[in-house]
Amino acid sequence: MKTYSQEEFKKMKALKREFVETGEGELFTKNTVKRRLRIGEEKATQLFNDLTKQEYGE
């Protein structure tokens, strides 16, 4: 079960794209998600993992 909203996912997907476009993709981490959305560890981990899975087409 997903603990985050579609809006949160879209915001972080856009942010991740910005990091990659500026050559700072490796700086986009679970903690970045946690700080930007001001959410807990579990929720940030799930959102970050789903963003990463999407990137690799899983």
Side-chain angles (χ1 to χ4, degrees):
M1 185 173 127
K2 294 188 178 184
T3 59
Y4 56 84
S5 71
Q6 192 65 18
E7 182 181 334
E8 290 170 325
F9 185 81
K10 287 179 183 179
K11 283 182 185 178
M12 289 302 100
K13 186 175 178 182
L15 181 65
K16 182 177 182 191
R17 186 172 48 246
E18 289 174 23
F19 270 70
V20 171
E21 287 173 356
T22 60
E24 298 177 331
E26 69 279 353
L27 298 177
F28 184 83
T29 64
K30 173 185 66 171
N31 286 328
T32 304
V33 174
K34 186 177 174 183
R35 283 190 314 268
R36 291 292 178 108
L37 293 178
R38 296 183 177 147
I39 57 177
E41 186 79 24
E42 184 178 331
K43 191 174 183 179
T45 300
Q46 186 179 38
L47 206 161
F48 181 78
N49 288 343
D50 288 349
L51 282 169
T52 305
K53 283 180 190 175
Q54 186 182 43
E55 178 181 317
Y56 294 111
E58 291 182 22

